[in-house]
Amino acid sequence: GAGQGIGRGYAHALGEAGAAVAVVDLIIERAETVAHELTQKGIDAIALATDVTKEDQVQAMVAQIVAKWGSLTIGVNNAGAGLWQDAETMTLEQWNKLITLDLTAVWLCAKAEANVMLPAGYGKIINTASMSGSIVNTPQNQSAYNTAKAGVIHLTRSLATEWATRGIRVNCISPGYTYTSLVDDLLKTELGQKVMPIWMGMTPMGRMAQVTDLQGGVVYLAAPASDFMTGHDLVIDGGYCAW
């Protein structure tokens, strides 16, 4: 999910902090654009197209990264999508598609990353969860998304404890409402104009996050400074969950 939005912000932040970055996205053109932005900054970067819901593609992605740099020490599993749909009218196809991308794909990526990191005895895995994994959003109905993100948080804790003695730290970041191009498109609609005052009224800081508000968190979790942290859900939500 590094071709746009939060993932793009993470790619820039980690590259600026000294990482070589594989920019992975379903759409290769997006990944290439971000990789070009990084190389213009002098960051060692490559672009890869991967459907993270397909295990063979995930394994191939990791193999290409190891072939390029000889190791993998940081994995950021950020791809995802939302779905506003009333539970009573949601189809099984909608449910399965959302859960597969937002939860199962996180496990597939973490599994492939760990199979490189475990033999090396060190690695950082950072999953993108959401404040929606801890609270129920309003006014929109999004039970599948909320369930998937709650699953990401508990998957993070489960993998963290499973791999703790073997050198891998697994943490997740739970953003609150964050301004991206997708949100910008939403805010141009009548629905967006309706929900925005409600969202901001429930956020103590009274504003949405910018992608830059999340960059410090991902750098911290990727760096040796957080080597004694694992199984943690880092909530960055402007105080939304504190009410």
Side-chain angles (χ1 to χ4, degrees):
Q4 61 181 342
I6 292 172
R8 174 179 173 271
Y10 286 167
H12 275 269
L14 292 168
E16 291 169 5
V21 182
V23 181
V24 183
D25 199 90
L26 179 63
I27 301 173
I28 188 60
E29 291 80 10
R30 288 178 181 168
E32 289 173 339
T33 296
V34 176
H36 178 70
E37 293 170 354
L38 299 182
T39 57
Q40 290 295 103
K41 293 182 176 181
I43 297 165
D44 190 4
I46 59 172
L48 299 174
T50 302
D51 181 345
V52 293
T53 68
K54 309 295 184 183
E55 186 168 18
D56 59 340
Q57 292 193 34
V58 171
Q59 292 173 342
M61 169 192 72
V62 171
Q64 287 176 274
I65 292 168
V66 174
K68 168 69 174 178
W69 289 302
S71 65
L72 174 64
T73 55
I74 303 165
V76 181
N77 306 318
N78 173 74
L83 174 65
W84 292 7
Q85 182 68 45
D86 295 343
E88 70 271 21
T89 59
M90 187 184 307
T91 65
L92 179 60
E93 181 182 9
Q94 287 177 311
W95 173 274
N96 286 340
K97 183 176 180 180
L98 197 287
I99 297 296
T100 297
L101 176 58
D102 285 10
L103 177 56
T104 304
V106 174
W107 166 69
L108 287 175
C109 289
K111 174 185 173 183
E113 292 153 2
N115 280 326
V116 175
M117 296 173 178
L118 286 169
Y122 184 83
K124 296 294 190 77
I125 294 176
I126 305 162
N127 302 321
T128 296
S130 170
M131 70 174 185
S132 302
S134 298
I135 55 90
V136 176
N137 305 69
T138 189
Q140 69 273 26
N141 294 325
Q142 51 180 51
S143 58
Y145 181 82
N146 296 348
T147 300
K149 291 303 184 178
V152 170
I153 294 171
H154 212 57
L155 174 65
T156 297
R157 293 170 180 152
S158 300
L159 298 179
T161 56
E162 186 170 338
W163 295 331
T165 60
R166 303 170 68 187
I168 299 181
R169 288 77 167 169
V170 188
N171 297 287
C172 58
I173 296 175
S174 282
Y177 292 115
T178 304
Y179 189 83
T180 64
S181 60
L182 295 177
V183 172
D184 185 57
D185 291 340
L186 171 66
L187 296 180
K188 294 174 183 175
T189 68
E190 183 178 346
L191 177 61
Q193 293 298 314
K194 175 184 177 182
V195 301
M196 183 57 127
I198 299 172
W199 290 354
M200 294 305 94
M202 298 181 71
T203 303
M205 288 190 178
R207 69 172 178 87
M208 300 186 78
Q210 298 294 324
V211 171
T212 50
D213 290 313
L214 309 177
Q215 289 178 315
V218 77
V219 171
Y220 172 65
L221 293 177
S226 62
D227 274 359
F228 199 60
M229 176 184 286
T230 198
H232 183 69
D233 176 32
L234 181 61
V235 180
I236 306 175
D237 68 347
Y240 191 105
C241 291
W243 282 120

